[in-house]
Amino acid sequence: MPYPLDVPAAESSDPVWSEANLREHILLEQTWRRPPGIYGWLTATNHKDIGLRFIVTAFIVFLMAGVLAFIMRLQLAVPENTLVGPDLYNELFTVHGTAMMFLFAVPVMEGMGLYLVPLMVGTRNVSFPRLLNYSYYIYLGSVLLLFVGFFLNVGPDVGWFAYTPLSGPEYSSGKRVDLWSQVVTLAEISSLAGAVEIVTTVFKQRAPGMSLNRIPLFVWSQLVTAFMIIFAMPAVMLCSNMLSTDRLAHINTQFYNPAEGGDPLLWQHLFWFFAHPEVYIIFIPATGFISTIVETFAGRRAFGYTLLVLSMVATSFIGFGVWVHHMFATPLPQLGQGLFTASSLMITIPNGIQFFCWIATMWGGRLKLTLPFAWVLSFFLIFTIGGLTGVMLASMSIDQQVHDTYFVVAHLHYVLIGGAIFPLFGAFYYWFPKWTGRMLGAKLGWVNLALMFIGFNLTFFPMHTLGLLGMPRRIYTYFRESGWAERNFAATVGAGVLGLSVLMFLVNVLISRRSGLLAGSNPWGASTLEWATSSPPPSYNFLHPPMVRSGHPLWFDPPDTPVVTGLALEHREVLVTTTHDAKPHHRYHMASEAWETVALAVVTIVMIVSVVFHSLAIPVGLPLILLVLAIWFWPTKETKPLKDPNRLRTVPATVPMIPDPA
Amino acid sequence: MIAAATARWATLADNDFGVTSGEWVRGTKSVLDPAGPQSGRIHQLFLDYFWLSVVVYVLVVLFVIFAVILRRRRARWTGPILAEPAPSREKLRGWLVGLATLATTIALFFLLAGDHAAGRAIRSLSTDNALKIRVTGHQWWWEFRFEDEAPSKIFTTANEIHIPVGRTIEVELHSPDVIHSFWVPNLHGKRDMIPGHPTRIAFRADKASEYWGQCAEFCGYEHAKMRFRVVAEPEEKFNAWKAAQLQSSVQPATDSQKKGQYVFLHTTCVMCHTIQGTTAGAMMGPDLTHLASRKTIAAGSLPNKRGHLAGWISNPQTIKPGVRMPANSLPPDQLQALLDYLEILK
Amino acid sequence: MRPRPALDVADLPATAFDSQAPVWWGNTLLMVIETVTVVLLVVTYYYLIQDFNVWPPISGEQPTPRYEPLPDLHASTLFVGLIAVATLPMIWADRACRKLRTAPTVIGLLLALAAGIGAIVFRIYEFKALHFWYDENAYASIVWTLLFMHLLYVILEVAEAGIDIVWILVHGLDEKIAVDVTMATAYWYWMVAMALIVYFVVYWSPRVL
C-alpha cells in the first residue's frame, strides 16, 4: 500500500486553516500559552516546556557526570597514578553513579515521556499541570544539591549504593552522606510525581477510539515504567531516609547499627529492591524508543504488538523478584540465592521475545537506513553483549568470581549505555524535528554515531578481561605488577573518543537548532499522533483533538481525520475518556499556572536540605509545607461558571458522531 | 575447542602477569587461571556460559545484519513505503519467534542446571581435617588467626598467609568495622564480610604458587590498597613456616637492635601493634611478631624492603592516604635502629 | 490532513466521580505509593526480629528494667477505634455530597475532623506506651517510624477535611468540591486500613509471636 498521499509532505504540512480555525487558534493560544515574562517562565505548566526542561537539565547532568568519569579514566590510565587521591576519586565515582542513575537516566526518560505521551495520546496537557511544575523544581533542587555539594567538597564518597555501615555515622563523618540521602529523596519525589502524571494521562486522556490495544508501544513503555517507579521508588526513599535518621545526631535511629539490633543487610535488601527495578525503569522506555523507530523505518506495524506489550509487563514484574543477585557474595542462605538465580535467568525470556519481535519486524519490513535507525542497530550489537554477560551474572557461582569487579562495570555500561543511551540518542535524532521544527544534521550525526560506537567499545570491552584478571571496582589506583595497565590505557583512550562524540552531538544540536533543514510536521512519515500537529507543536497541541481508529492513525486511518469538537476555548479544558476503550466521558477543567507550585518546591527543598543541619527543620518545615499546600488547594471560584451555555468552544459538530471504531 | 579456548585464556592471563617488575613481589591473580577445585569448577561453568553466549551473539548479529542487507530500501527518502506483510509470512514469523523463545527457555534451563550443579560441587568440599583460619577485615588490612584446638598452637599474622597444597582451608570471615570482601580469584569466588554476620567458606589450592587476594567490596579510602598474599606450598614447607610463626619474636642482639626495640616500645608503635615476646600487645594494627617474614608491607602496598619500611613508618599518609597509622617523626638514628630491629623479626 | 468534525463533546458533563476522574487516579496512585512505603516498613519490622533474642527487647526503664515490654494497648486501641468509627460520618458525607446536600456533608466532615484531631492526641500517648525512645535500638526505631508515618497521614487527612469544610461554608457546595470530598473519603478508608495494619503489627504481633 503506498503511503497515503494526503498526508502532505514536509514544508507544506501545516493544514490550511479556515477563518473559523484561525479564530480558534488565536483563542486556544491565548488560553494555553503560559503567562508572559519571568513569572510565566517560572510557573510554566505545559508538558512540552517542562518535558524539554527535564531533558535539557538531565543532559547537562549527563555531560557533567561524563566529565567526572573521564577524570576517573585519566587517573586509571597508568598504574600508581597520582592525578587524584582516594578522597576525590571516591567522590568522583559516587557522584558519577548517583548523577547518572538518579539525575540523568530516570529524569531524561521521564522527560521524553512527559513531552511525548500527551501528544501521542492526542490530548492537550498532562493531567496535573501544577504537580508537573513542582516536580521539575524538586528535580532541579536535587541536581543543584549534588553538584554544588561536590564543588564545595561535600560530595558523597561511599559509592552510589552507599552500603552501611560505611555510609553510617561512625565511618562517614561530615555531611557528605547526609546530603546524598537528601539528593536521593528529592530525585525520587520528582520521579514519583512524574509517574503519577503519566499513568493518569495515559489512562484518562487518550484520544477517543484509542482503546488499550491501540496505544502506541512507546506510551506502553512509559506506562509500564511509571508503574515500576511507583512500586520501586518508595523503597529507596525509605531506606535513604532511614540512613539519614541513623546519621543525624539529633535523631540517631538505629536501623543499620549492628550494635543496637540494626542490620547492614537490611539496607542492601531495601536498596536493591529499588535499584534492580531501576535498571528496567531506564531500559523499558528505551525499548519504547526502539519499537517506535523500528516501526517507522521498517514501514510496518511492529510484529507481535501484544507480545511486545506483555514482554514489557512481564519484565516489570520479574524485575521486582531478582534483587538478591546483587547480593550473591553475602552470606545469605544458598536455597534462596538459587531461586534468585532462576528468576534472574527467567527475565531473559521476555527480553528475548522483544528482541525476536524487533528482528521479525525488520524482516517483514522495507528498511530505510536512516540515522535514528542506525542508532537502534548499534543498540542490537552492543546491548546483546550486556544482556549475555547479565546471564553470566545471574549465575550464583560465576557471580561469586566477577561480582564487584570490572567485569560488572563493563556489564552495566553495556546494558545502560548500549541499552539506554544508544536508543536515547536515536530518539534525540528522531524527535528533535518535533521539538524544534528542524532536522539534526545527518553528516555530523553519522560521525557522532561512529565515534560513539568505537569509543564506547574501546572503553568498556577491555573491562571484561580486567575484571577476570582480578581488578575490583572502585579502586583509585592499581599496582604496576598487576598487569592491568594496557587495558586501562586503552579504556582511557576510548573514553576520550566517547567524549569527543558527545561533543559532536552538542555541536550538531547547536548548529541544527538555527540552520537545520526545516522538518515540517511529519518528516519521517511516522504513524503516531505527535506527528499530526506542527513542529514544534502549539501550546495547545491539537487544534481539534484527534480521534483514532487504529494503532497507527497516520498510516491506516482514513485521510479525513475525524476530530473532537466542543471543547472550551477560553479556559483549559481537555476531554476525559474511559480507561479501557477510550470512549468520551466528560470534560476536565485543568488548573493553570500558580506561584504556589514554585513556592512549595522551594519550601520542600529548603526543608529537606536543612534537615541535615538543624533539628528544627522538620518541626518548622512541615507546618510550612501544609500551609503552602492549603493555599495551593484553596479553591478560587471560576470566573465563568462551567455550565455557561454561551461560553466559547470549538466548532460544533456538523456530522454525526462516527460509530465506535471497533 | 573449549579446551583450546581455556588454554588461550590462561596464557593470556599468564602473559599479563609476566610483567612483574624486578623489584615487585611475584604472585598471580586471575579468574581464568584456577588453582583449586572451587575456582576450577566456576571457571568451567564460566566457559560454558561464555561459549553459549558467543553462539547466541553471533546468531543475533547475523539476523540483524542480514535483515538490513536483504530488506533494505535504497530509494531516496520520501517517507516510508508501507510494507504489507503477507499473512502467510507473518504466520511463519510467528512460528520462528515461538521457536526462538522455546530455544531460549531450554538453553536457560541448561544454564540453571549448570549453575545448580556447580554450586553443589563448590559447597561439597569436605572440611574434615581442614586448616581453620579466622580472617578479620579491617580498614584497610587483613588479620589472619590460625586456629587450633591447642591454644598454644594458635598464632596471628597479617596480610600474608601460607597454606598447604592439597588440604582444605576453611576461613571464618569477620568484620568489626565496615563491609569487606574476601577474594582470592585463583582459589575461590569472593565472600562478603558483613559486620554482625560472620560466615565461612572453604577452598583448596592444588598448585603451589603465590596468589594475590584483594578486598572486593568498597570499604572506604584505601579500598584499593587492601590486598593480601596467599602462598600455597607443600605441606612440609608449610609446617616449617607454621613452626616459625608459632615462635615468639626474635630478641635483639646488637645494640642498634636493642635500641630499636626500645624505640618501638616507647613511642606510638606500641599503642597499636603486637610483638610476641615483648610488652607490645595492642590489637589495633597488624601483628608484627614476624614482620620480616612477610614479603610486603601496608597490606600489599609496598615490597618489604628497608627503604620502603622507613618511608612507611615516617610518613604512611603519603603512601596510603587516610590510613589509620599516624606519621612518626623519629630522629634518624632512632628510625635506623627501629628498622634494624624490625628486620630481624623473621 | 482534512479534519472532519465528528464528535461534539460540548454537552458532556464537566465533572465526574470515582475512577472516571483524573483526580481520583492521582489520589489513588499517591495512596499506592504510601501503601508500598507502609508495606516496606512492616517488612523491615519483621526482618529486624531475626537480629534480636527477645522481641521487644529489654527496656532499661527505671527503676527496674523490663523484660519484653509489650507496647500498651490503651491509647492505640482508642486511636484505631476512633478513626474506624469516624468512617461512618465520612460515608455519610460522601453520599450527601454526591447529591449536593450541604448540611449533612458539612456535619459529616466536622464529625470526622473532630475524630481525627482526637486521634492525633491519642497517637501522642501511643508513643509513650512504647516504652522506648526512638534512638534506643532498632526495634524502637522501626515502631516509632511506623507510628510517625501514620500520624503524618492523619494530619494530612485532617487538614484536607478542614479545607473542604471551610470551602463549602464560604463558596457553597458544588460538584467540583464534591469530588474533593469523595477523595477525602477514599483517603480516610485507606488511612483506617493502614491504621489497622500498623495496629496489628506493632501491638498484636509481638503478643502473638
Side-chain angles (χ1 to χ4, degrees):
Chain A
M1 187 179 101
Y3 190 67
L5 284 175
D6 49 356
V7 175
E11 310 308 323
S12 62
S13 58
D14 297 335
V16 182
W17 284 341
S18 67
E19 207 171 307
N21 287 159
L22 210 58
R23 181 174 144 272
E24 286 170 1
H25 164 69
I26 292 166
L27 282 168
L28 276 171
E29 189 64 34
Q30 279 171 354
T31 304
W32 283 90
R33 131 187 112 194
R34 64 178 189 233
I38 292 191
Y39 174 79
W41 193 84
L42 286 175
T43 56
T45 53
N46 191 294
H47 73 102
K48 296 182 290 298
D49 289 339
I50 301 291
L52 272 186
R53 280 184 208 179
F54 265 106
I55 295 169
V56 170
T57 315
F59 200 79
I60 293 171
V61 171
F62 174 67
L63 295 178
M64 292 198 286
V67 169
L68 302 187
F70 189 62
I71 299 173
M72 284 191 276
R73 279 315 325 161
L74 287 179
Q75 161 70 11
L76 292 178
V78 289
E80 294 176 63
N81 197 357
T82 51
L83 179 73
V84 296
D87 187 42
L88 181 56
Y89 189 87
N90 293 349
E91 275 186 277
L92 285 175
F93 71 69
T94 308
V95 175
H96 170 78
T98 306
M100 286 295 195
M101 296 298 282
F102 293 107
L103 302 179
F104 164 65
V106 175
V108 83
M109 295 301 177
E110 275 204 343
M112 297 292 280
L114 291 173
Y115 192 104
L116 292 168
V117 163
L119 284 164
M120 281 189 168
V121 301
T123 187
R124 297 204 194 281
N125 202 355
V126 289
S127 302
F128 311 112
R130 291 184 178 179
L131 182 66
L132 186 65
N133 176 283
Y134 173 76
S135 79
Y136 175 73
Y137 286 109
I138 294 292
Y139 164 61
L140 188 64
S142 177
V143 171
L144 291 176
L145 182 57
L146 180 67
F147 281 96
V148 171
F150 175 65
F151 287 117
L152 297 179
N153 196 25
V154 275
D157 59 350
V158 290
W160 82 275
F161 41 81
Y163 274 6
T164 55
L166 182 61
S167 59
E170 210 177 324
Y171 298 98
S172 292
S173 49
K175 297 292 182 198
R176 288 177 167 185
V177 180
D178 301 291
L179 289 181
W180 176 84
S181 85
Q182 308 310 73
V183 165
V184 171
T185 304
L186 287 172
E188 307 317 0
I189 292 175
S190 162
S191 302
L192 284 166
V196 170
E197 296 279 6
I198 286 179
V199 172
T200 312
T201 307
V202 174
F203 276 172
K204 296 316 303 170
Q205 287 177 232
R206 298 198 306 278
M210 191 182 278
S211 47
L212 287 180
N213 57 340
R214 290 176 183 158
I215 298 180
L217 284 163
F218 176 77
V219 175
W220 267 114
S221 76
Q222 284 286 338
L223 183 66
V224 170
T225 306
F227 270 110
M228 288 194 81
I229 289 177
I230 285 168
F231 285 98
M233 298 276 178
V236 71
M237 274 182 68
L238 190 69
C239 72
S240 72
N241 277 316
M242 279 154 60
L243 176 64
S244 199
T245 55
D246 264 20
R247 290 179 51 86
L248 293 172
H250 59 266
I251 302 180
N252 196 19
T253 52
Q254 308 288 350
F255 290 109
Y256 307 120
N257 181 3
E260 290 294 348
D263 198 330
L265 276 175
L266 172 65
W267 168 270
Q268 298 190 18
H269 280 296
L270 286 174
F271 188 87
W272 289 116
F273 180 75
F274 142 78
H276 197 85
E278 164 99 345
V279 177
Y280 293 101
I281 287 169
I282 295 165
F283 176 62
I284 290 181
T287 68
F289 301 147
I290 296 162
S291 296
T292 310
I293 291 173
V294 168
E295 273 189 333
T296 298
F297 296 109
R300 58 159 291 176
R301 62 167 81 89
F303 178 86
Y305 172 90
T306 316
L307 269 181
L308 282 165
V309 172
L310 289 179
S311 298
M312 284 192 259
V313 176
T315 306
S316 72
F317 270 96
I318 306 174
F320 280 97
V322 302
W323 80 92
V324 170
H325 75 221
H326 296 270
M327 300 165 67
F328 279 160
T330 61
L332 288 179
Q334 301 291 341
L335 175 69
Q337 298 204 7
L339 289 177
F340 281 93
T341 292
S343 64
S344 306
L345 289 173
M346 193 160 79
I347 206 161
T348 315
I349 298 174
N351 283 308
I353 291 177
Q354 278 185 299
F355 256 72
F356 305 143
C357 286
W358 289 323
I359 292 176
T361 309
M362 291 198 275
W363 276 93
R366 301 292 289 134
L367 303 178
K368 184 69 199 173
L369 196 57
T370 57
L371 201 45
F373 188 46
W375 283 95
V376 169
L377 290 176
S378 339
F379 152 86
F380 283 106
L381 301 186
I382 293 171
F383 178 78
T384 313
I385 295 182
L388 291 165
T389 50
V391 171
M392 296 177 193
L393 291 175
S395 153
M396 187 170 65
S397 308
I398 296 176
D399 189 66
Q400 285 176 10
Q401 279 286 22
V402 292
H403 175 75
D404 264 338
T405 68
Y406 262 75
F407 190 88
V408 171
V409 178
H411 159 75
L412 75 93
H413 286 93
Y414 266 81
V415 168
L416 290 174
I417 297 186
I421 304 293
F422 273 80
L424 181 69
F425 270 73
F428 284 160
Y429 279 90
Y430 184 73
W431 277 297
F432 187 83
K434 183 49 61 186
W435 300 337
T436 62
R438 289 176 187 277
M439 312 290 286
L440 268 176
K443 275 182 194 153
L444 266 178
W446 283 99
V447 179
N448 173 9
L449 170 60
L451 285 184
M452 181 99 98
F453 190 83
I454 295 166
F456 169 79
N457 282 297
L458 187 57
T459 311
F460 294 103
F461 198 80
M463 290 185 187
H464 289 113
T465 0
L466 277 175
L468 295 173
L469 295 178
M471 182 166 169
R473 66 199 280 204
R474 298 176 170 174
I475 54 173
Y476 74 96
T477 191
Y478 53 93
F479 297 98
R480 188 159 277 114
E481 45 74 46
S482 56
W484 301 331
E486 296 82 355
R487 288 178 179 83
N488 271 303
F489 188 77
T492 303
V493 173
V497 178
L498 200 55
L500 198 67
S501 95
V502 175
L503 214 60
M504 214 67 109
F505 175 76
L506 274 186
V507 172
N508 199 354
V509 167
L510 291 179
I511 294 177
S512 306
R513 253 193 81 213
R514 304 214 168 278
S515 55
L517 286 174
L518 282 176
S521 64
N522 189 4
W524 307 115
S527 68
T528 37
L529 285 177
E530 80 273 28
W531 306 104
T533 182
S534 61
S535 309
S539 56
Y540 52 83
N541 287 354
F542 301 96
L543 193 64
H544 302 102
M547 299 172 68
V548 301
R549 310 173 83 169
S550 75
H552 300 79
L554 300 199
W555 282 352
F556 303 128
D557 278 12
D560 56 338
T561 332
V563 293
V564 174
T565 58
L567 283 174
L569 291 172
E570 89 288 19
H571 64 253
R572 296 185 182 177
E573 191 170 82
V574 296
L575 177 65
V576 174
T577 50
T578 54
T579 312
H580 290 178
D581 33 9
K583 284 183 181 150
H585 190 271
H586 69 280
R587 293 171 293 118
Y588 170 46
H589 180 194
M590 260 182 192
S592 50
E593 288 82 359
W595 61 269
E596 289 93 332
T597 58
V598 187
L600 185 68
V602 171
V603 174
T604 313
I605 294 167
V606 169
M607 181 188 92
I608 287 182
V609 175
S610 47
V611 163
V612 171
F613 299 99
H614 207 284
S615 55
L616 280 179
I618 293 179
V620 175
L622 274 185
L624 212 57
I625 283 185
L626 278 179
L627 181 71
V628 183
L629 269 176
I631 300 174
W632 175 347
F633 287 104
W634 198 261
T636 44
K637 266 287 194 215
E638 303 303 332
T639 41
K640 277 179 193 160
L642 294 177
K643 284 179 176 163
D644 179 3
N646 297 322
R647 74 187 200 283
L648 295 166
R649 52 200 183 90
T650 48
V651 183
T654 53
V655 284
M657 187 180 156
I658 54 164
D660 180 43
Chain B
M1 184 163 131
I2 287 174
T6 318
R8 208 193 85 76
W9 279 97
T11 45
L12 191 77
D14 276 351
N15 287 340
D16 280 302
F17 283 84
V19 291
T20 309
S21 63
E23 196 197 13
W24 250 104
V25 184
R26 241 174 53 77
T28 61
K29 187 177 183 200
S30 172
V31 173
L32 305 167
D33 183 18
Q38 273 77 22
S39 53
R41 194 69 184 74
I42 296 175
H43 181 236
Q44 193 53 52
L45 185 71
F46 174 79
L47 288 178
D48 296 345
Y49 273 60
F50 175 78
W51 286 111
L52 188 76
S53 300
V54 169
V55 171
V56 171
Y57 185 71
V58 168
L59 282 178
V60 168
V61 170
L62 282 183
F63 269 102
V64 170
I65 289 177
F66 276 109
V68 174
I69 292 174
L70 296 176
R71 304 293 300 169
R72 187 165 167 198
R73 180 163 64 86
R74 291 177 187 283
R76 274 198 69 223
W77 175 256
T78 51
I81 292 174
L82 289 196
E84 266 298 82
S88 61
R89 284 299 181 101
E90 287 292 271
K91 209 168 179 184
L92 177 68
R93 284 184 197 106
W95 279 105
L96 288 177
V97 166
L99 210 64
T101 309
L102 187 69
T104 310
T105 312
I106 291 171
L108 289 173
F109 265 107
F110 275 104
L111 293 180
L112 183 61
D115 177 65
H116 185 67
R120 282 178 69 108
I122 290 164
R123 286 191 298 277
S124 68
L125 189 67
S126 159
T127 51
D128 302 341
N129 190 30
L131 174 66
K132 287 192 168 56
I133 307 174
R134 183 190 156 103
V135 183
T136 310
H138 297 275
Q139 278 180 321
W140 295 273
W141 61 282
W142 303 86
E143 179 185 333
F144 297 97
R145 193 173 81 190
F146 283 67
E147 305 282 23
D148 202 295
E149 273 159 24
S152 64
K153 288 190 173 174
I154 294 174
F155 66 92
T156 305
T157 183
N159 302 330
E160 179 169 313
I161 52 169
H162 291 230
I163 56 168
V165 166
R167 186 167 154 201
T168 304
I169 316 295
E170 189 180 21
V171 289
E172 192 186 308
L173 304 168
H174 292 264
S175 171
D177 44 39
V178 304
I179 301 175
H180 302 281
S181 190
F182 180 89
W183 188 36
V184 190
N186 298 71
L187 299 179
H188 198 342
K190 59 186 69 66
R191 179 61 66 88
D192 287 354
M193 313 161 86
I194 298 172
H197 293 269
T199 175
R200 56 187 68 204
I201 54 171
F203 55 85
R204 195 176 78 207
D206 289 338
K207 261 194 279 183
S209 184
E210 300 181 13
Y211 307 105
W212 278 107
Q214 184 161 10
C215 176
E217 181 61 63
F218 178 62
C219 57
Y221 263 54
E222 287 301 337
H223 169 57
K225 294 184 176 172
M226 183 171 167
R227 311 201 298 168
F228 63 99
R229 286 163 43 73
V230 178
V231 180
E233 54 194 12
E235 188 90 33
E236 320 82 69
K237 276 178 93 174
F238 167 74
N239 286 336
W241 176 81
K242 185 179 171 187
Q245 294 288 317
L246 281 167
Q247 299 290 315
S248 187
S249 68
V250 177
Q251 285 308 310
T254 70
D255 282 351
S256 177
Q257 289 163 5
K258 280 180 184 154
K259 184 178 168 191
Q261 189 185 43
Y262 183 86
V263 170
F264 188 94
L265 295 176
H266 292 85
T267 57
T268 46
C269 310
V270 73
M271 297 170 80
C272 299
H273 294 286
T274 295
I275 296 181
Q276 299 290 339
T278 70
T279 53
M283 306 288 278
M284 296 279 286
D287 185 312
L288 301 179
T289 311
H290 299 286
L291 173 67
S293 73
R294 309 207 274 259
K295 286 190 176 164
T296 66
I297 54 172
S301 305
L302 289 169
N304 190 358
K305 297 276 162 61
R306 189 182 174 94
H308 292 305
L309 199 53
W312 174 246
I313 292 167
S314 17
N315 206 348
Q317 295 297 333
T318 54
I319 293 160
K320 220 170 146 172
V323 70
R324 300 274 187 255
M325 179 156 153
N328 299 283
S329 46
L330 297 170
D333 60 315
Q334 290 191 17
L335 179 64
Q336 293 307 323
L338 180 61
L339 293 168
D340 284 340
Y341 171 59
L342 292 176
E343 281 189 328
I344 61 167
L345 297 175
K346 294 281 183 196
Chain C
M1 264 192 294
R2 294 199 308 273
R4 177 169 62 89
L7 173 66
D8 184 9
V9 297
D11 297 326
L12 289 178
T15 46
F17 287 99
D18 301 333
S19 71
Q20 290 304 344
V23 183
W24 184 89
W25 282 92
N27 195 43
T28 304
L29 292 170
L30 289 176
M31 291 193 290
V32 171
I33 292 168
E34 290 308 326
T35 309
V36 175
T37 311
V38 171
V39 167
L40 287 170
L41 280 170
V42 169
V43 169
T44 302
Y45 177 94
Y46 290 110
Y47 185 87
L48 285 170
I49 292 182
Q50 62 175 338
D51 293 310
F52 284 83
N53 293 323
V54 288
W55 185 266
I58 297 158
S59 93
E61 275 169 289
Q62 295 302 329
T64 41
R66 287 177 60 177
Y67 185 76
E68 283 193 44
L70 293 167
D72 301 339
L73 285 173
H74 314 94
S76 57
T77 310
L78 285 171
F79 172 90
V80 173
L82 194 55
I83 60 168
V85 169
T87 311
L88 294 174
M90 278 312 268
I91 294 174
W92 193 38
D94 181 273
R95 292 199 176 158
C97 78
R98 285 165 196 260
K99 293 169 195 149
L100 299 185
R101 288 164 53 204
T102 310
T105 309
V106 172
I107 294 169
L109 283 172
L110 272 173
L111 285 173
L113 180 75
I117 293 171
I120 292 173
V121 176
F122 286 132
R123 176 53 50 94
I124 291 164
Y125 281 98
E126 276 189 66
F127 287 119
K128 260 182 108 173
L130 291 174
H131 304 292
F132 286 100
W133 199 241
Y134 52 78
D135 59 356
E136 287 184 50
N137 51 48
Y139 163 78
S141 300
I142 185 63
V143 289
W144 270 75
T145 309
L146 271 165
L147 295 188
F148 182 77
M149 284 298 284
H150 192 268
L151 177 61
L152 286 184
Y153 305 146
V154 181
I155 292 173
L156 213 63
E157 172 69 26
V158 164
E160 196 181 342
I163 289 180
D164 284 351
I165 293 170
V166 177
W167 160 253
I168 295 171
L169 292 178
V170 174
H171 295 303
L173 180 62
D174 64 12
E175 277 182 356
K176 205 162 153 40
I177 191 66
V179 173
D180 284 3
V181 174
T182 60
M183 298 292 105
T185 313
Y187 195 80
W188 191 282
Y189 299 153
W190 174 81
M191 188 184 81
V192 173
M194 292 302 119
L196 288 171
I197 293 176
V198 170
Y199 178 64
F200 283 111
V201 168
V202 171
Y203 294 94
W204 285 99
S205 69
R207 289 181 155 80
V208 176
L209 288 176

